[in-house]
Amino acid sequence: MKLSFAGILVGITLNALVSYETADAALCMCHPSSCVVINANSSMLSHPELYCPANMMSINDLLILRYNDTILTVDSFAPFTNLTSVEIFQGSLSRIEPGAFEKTPALFKIIVRSNVLSTLEDYTFRGLDGLHILYLISNNLTTIAPNAFYGLKNLTYLVLSGNQITQLPSTLFSSSPLLRSVSLNNNMLTGLPTGIFDNIDSLFKLDVSYNQLSEFDFPDLQVTLLFLHNNSLTSLQVGDHVKVVQAHQNRIRTISGSGFNLTDLLLSDNAIADVTPIMAMKNLSKLSLSNNPLRPDSTFGSLDRLEELFLSRTNLMISEQTFANLSWMTLLDLSYNNLTQLDFSMFAAMNKLKSLIVAYNRIETINFIELREYLPELRVLEICGNGWNATYLERMLGKMRKHKLRADMQGLSHSLIFSSVFVELCSAGVETSTKPSFDYSDYYSEDFGDGIEQEIAEYTTSSPRPQPRVSESAKAGHVSSTSKPMTTMVPMFALEPTASVRLNTMVTADVILPAEQQPVVGSSPLYITFQVLVYTFSVFGIVCLVVLGYYMRKRRFDVRRATSIDSADSVRLV
């Protein structure tokens, strides 16, 4: 019996190994409306019935993991007439022939990610009038022909992130006037041609971050979210239509433009000294100027709608006029400014302030009675790194508890488990490095991810704000966007999912690595074979135990029945 069971297990193992002869064998897993294909090639796409279930030709969504051929030939997807979505992830694809998708006119979305595409030829996507979403991410693209996107008249989302593009033709977007989101981040762009955005009616999001741009001169561009960070810009011009600008990590010295509708402006890590042009942007609610050589006498009182202000490492000298009229402030960052004392009367106008960051200064003491008098709504007072020893810091934390204050955003200072660690870390000497020891992820959160649903979102606000000011002279030129409360500003495509775009949730575009640095995702056929074997052995192991237990029990009962009481060796009791 043991030999028979061993033979069965060996046979199952050999059968599984023969079924998956090589690591390049195609594997197809299908749902009634979608299929996942591993190790596909042109032959498999041309004759899917040989590899996959018969209903595969009627599916809507196709995901290909590892396309092992180098060319996507003409009419490659001809058998799949009902396709609405195609994704080709991680493979050897180096060329897409024009017309490869021509026989699938119902395509709504195409994603080609982590392949080795180097060039997009003219009319690559011909016949796809209904295509809305095109993602070409981490493909080593270097050249795009002027008519590569010809015919994509309904294209809405275009992502070319994580490639090696150095320049773009000026007519690239001429066939796609309905574009709402364009992502060109993480490339090698040194400039953008004049007029490249002229044929686009109205952009919601434009991301050109992580490039090598030295200028961005598009004053008439109608865009809501503009991401320019991590470039080499020396100047910034803010148009009337933009609402959120992220231009940190540049070399910006001068700022121009009205910024009439601008609400969020991130300019940290630049070379700005004069904030006068920014003071004209009256609708600002979030402003970051950290790590800029500001003039010590800079004031922000004219921005009376400001809610969050970041002034770390600016060497600002605080006076009565510095923060006058800022009655809507909820967060103020003054860390790393060599402050020696806190006069809370200077913050008297900020009676709604909830978080004050004065970490890594040289403050000697804090008057909590005065603090509560001028800042009744304050809940967080960050005081780390002011040169206090552990004993003095613990005493200050005790006073803060009495006044219902936390010493950090996360509440670690009040935690029974982490309070001692917090004291140990915060009682160190004043830091003198050129960069803060904390990052702004404590105060910002990323709302825009890599998903399609998060690429475009409505611009909403979660806190009440005053009505935007509209001057009489401005009413004629700017009618709709500022004549209503800001909570009603909704982009044209109101059907898109909402996502908050705030500076305390400052949008930071995801960094997309080049193709050679992308992590390998997806199981190989050998790993799938191993899983099949494990599951098979587990099931047959359980069956073997049950059968073995049955036979042992039967044998025990047979032995008992074979021993008769009338045998010669038995003893009869009288």
Side-chain angles (χ1 to χ4, degrees), residues 102-408:
E102 194 168 10
K103 293 299 179 64
T104 53
L107 270 177
F108 183 86
K109 175 176 67 174
I110 295 177
I111 299 178
V112 181
R113 183 166 187 163
S114 299
N115 282 271
V116 289
L117 281 173
S118 60
T119 303
L120 284 182
E121 304 173 28
D122 284 329
Y123 313 109
T124 298
F125 304 98
R126 71 187 184 202
L128 298 181
D129 294 346
L131 190 70
H132 282 68
I133 301 168
L134 178 58
Y135 274 31
L136 302 173
I137 305 175
S138 300
N139 287 295
N140 294 329
L141 273 175
T142 57
T143 305
I144 301 178
N147 295 313
F149 302 140
Y150 181 82
L152 301 182
K153 59 184 179 181
N154 288 308
L155 189 63
T156 307
Y157 310 127
L158 175 62
V159 179
L160 299 172
S161 306
N163 290 290
Q164 299 178 15
I165 304 170
T166 56
Q167 59 182 356
L168 295 172
S170 60
T171 59
L172 186 62
F173 306 132
S174 59
S175 299
S176 306
L178 301 181
L179 273 171
R180 299 292 287 163
S181 173
V182 176
S183 296
L184 301 170
N185 55 292
N186 294 86
N187 279 284
M188 299 180 181
L189 292 171
T190 56
L192 293 173
T194 303
I196 188 172
F197 304 112
D198 286 354
N199 292 322
I200 301 177
D201 295 337
S202 179
L203 272 174
F204 182 76
K205 173 187 172 184
L206 176 61
D207 188 353
V208 291
S209 60
Y210 292 95
N211 279 284
Q212 301 171 16
L213 298 175
S214 58
E215 62 178 2
F216 186 84
D217 188 14
F218 298 94
D220 299 326
L221 178 63
Q222 297 188 24
V223 62
T224 303
L225 306 181
L226 180 58
F227 301 147
L228 300 169
H229 53 277
N230 294 84
N231 279 284
S232 301
L233 302 177
T234 56
S235 62
L236 175 65
Q237 186 169 9
V238 183
D240 294 341
H241 301 90
V242 66
K243 292 184 175 68
V244 176
V245 174
Q246 292 193 8
H248 54 283
Q249 295 285 345
N250 279 283
R251 303 170 187 172
I252 298 173
R253 293 180 179 274
T254 59
I255 300 172
S256 60
S258 66
F260 187 83
N261 289 316
L262 190 64
T263 60
D264 297 18
L265 180 60
L266 177 55
L267 291 172
S268 56
D269 297 285
N270 279 287
I272 300 170
D274 185 11
V275 299
T276 304
I278 300 176
M279 297 304 104
M281 302 173 185
K282 302 298 184 181
N283 289 322
L284 271 179
S285 61
K286 287 96 181 176
L287 174 62
S288 176
L289 292 169
S290 296
N291 224 26
N292 279 281
L294 300 184
R295 293 175 181 172
D297 58 348
S298 298
T299 61
F300 304 91
S302 60
L303 301 176
D304 54 3
R305 288 168 181 77
L306 207 57
E307 295 180 16
E308 297 170 6
L309 179 59
F310 297 84
L311 297 172
S312 177
R313 293 187 183 277
T314 55
N315 293 322
L316 195 67
M317 301 295 292
I318 301 176
S319 66
E320 294 181 355
Q321 301 301 320
T322 305
F323 304 118
N325 303 321
L326 302 185
S327 59
W328 283 84
M329 284 286 295
T330 59
L331 190 153
L332 176 62
D333 181 5
L334 295 174
S335 57
Y336 293 93
N337 277 301
N338 294 320
L339 300 177
T340 57
Q341 61 180 356
L342 283 178
D343 185 356
F344 291 104
S345 63
M346 304 295 180
F347 310 119
M350 297 185 283
N351 54 8
K352 295 181 181 179
L353 192 68
K354 297 185 182 299
S355 301
L356 176 60
I357 306 169
V358 292
Y360 299 100
N361 283 287
R362 302 179 184 275
I363 300 171
E364 297 178 359
T365 186
I366 296 175
N367 187 335
F368 290 100
I369 297 177
E370 183 183 350
L371 181 152
R372 275 297 171 220
E373 179 183 355
Y374 291 104
L375 300 175
E377 300 293 329
L378 194 67
R379 294 293 176 266
V380 176
L381 178 64
E382 293 204 0
I383 55 175
C384 267
N386 275 287
W388 303 337
N389 59 31
T391 304
Y392 188 78
L393 181 58
E394 287 181 349
R395 186 185 309 167
M396 296 297 289
L397 291 177
K399 292 182 179 180
M400 291 178 65
R401 292 188 188 97
K402 292 180 181 180
H403 291 274
K404 298 180 180 180
L405 290 170
R406 299 198 312 269
D408 63 294

Side-chain angles (χ1 to χ4, degrees), residues 411-430:
L412 298 178
S413 58
H414 286 10
S415 171
L416 294 176
I417 300 175
F418 299 107
S419 58
S420 59
V421 178
F422 179 85
V423 170
E424 181 179 353
L425 293 175
C426 287
S427 59
V430 180

